[in-house]
Amino acid sequence: MIDILYTSMRSSNTHDFIQKLVASGIPPERVSRLETPEQTVSRPFVLFTASYCGRDDEGMFHPVLSKWFKAMPEWHRLCRGTVVSGNMQFGKRFGIAGRTLQQQHNIPRLHSFELKGQPKDVRLVMSGMTQMFGAYV
């Protein structure tokens, strides 16, 4: 089994997607909202996070995630991939969080979905994680 860590911004899109995964069979005890870098990570995990646009029309994501990965070697060692939300209106910046973490930290991007995700996104993530990491239920 693998844990799910997630960040969620004001829109709560990522949180809402996580709730859909839990409703689809991911055990809630395997899910944690990432609040601070001091959070202990001791098991392999997939990181769910959001992308958003900054004031200068640059693609951005949770502002400190990259710093946390640099400061916390166990995160690097245990992170198996990212699943990223975004808005298609961002154009080429859609899903920038996943691309940035992949480029800066060599963490695979497993899936990107728009806003709160569609039922097909939930199915793809559930199926992909089950194939990669084993059954959840």
Side-chain angles (χ1 to χ4, degrees):
M1 281 201 184
I2 193 161
D3 287 349
I4 291 175
L5 295 182
Y6 75 98
T7 62
S8 192
M9 305 304 274
R10 286 180 299 233
S11 68
S12 79
N13 289 339
T14 309
H15 175 79
D16 292 347
F17 188 80
I18 294 293
Q19 295 310 306
K20 292 176 188 178
L21 292 177
V22 169
S24 296
I26 299 287
E29 63 273 10
R30 304 301 291 195
V31 177
S32 297
R33 186 171 183 156
L34 191 56
E35 303 286 348
T36 69
E38 290 80 29
Q39 240 172 293
T40 304
V41 177
S42 59
R43 295 187 297 231
F45 67 94
V46 172
L47 175 67
F48 285 68
T49 191
S51 298
Y52 61 96
C53 274
R55 280 180 274 162
D56 297 328
D57 207 30
E58 295 176 359
M60 300 172 70
F61 63 107
H62 192 286
V64 295
L65 272 179
S66 191
K67 291 177 187 173
W68 290 356
F69 270 95
K70 287 178 184 170
M72 306 297 276
E74 66 271 16
W75 285 29
H76 231 190
R77 185 175 54 79
L78 295 171
C79 186
R80 300 297 186 254
T82 61
V83 176
V84 182
S85 70
N87 187 324
M88 292 289 211
Q89 291 179 349
F90 296 172
K92 66 182 179 181
R93 294 173 306 279
F94 172 75
I96 190 90
R99 287 194 306 278
T100 301
L101 289 169
Q102 187 171 29
Q103 291 167 357
Q104 290 181 359
H105 304 286
N106 200 29
I107 298 167
R109 181 176 42 147
L110 306 176
H111 186 68
S112 296
F113 61 91
E114 184 171 26
L115 302 175
K116 296 177 187 292
Q118 298 296 315
K120 72 174 177 119
D121 294 304
V122 173
R123 285 191 306 274
L124 284 169
V125 168
M126 291 290 289
S127 172
M129 290 182 66
T130 299
Q131 287 176 8
M132 293 177 75
F133 310 115
Y136 275 93
V137 283

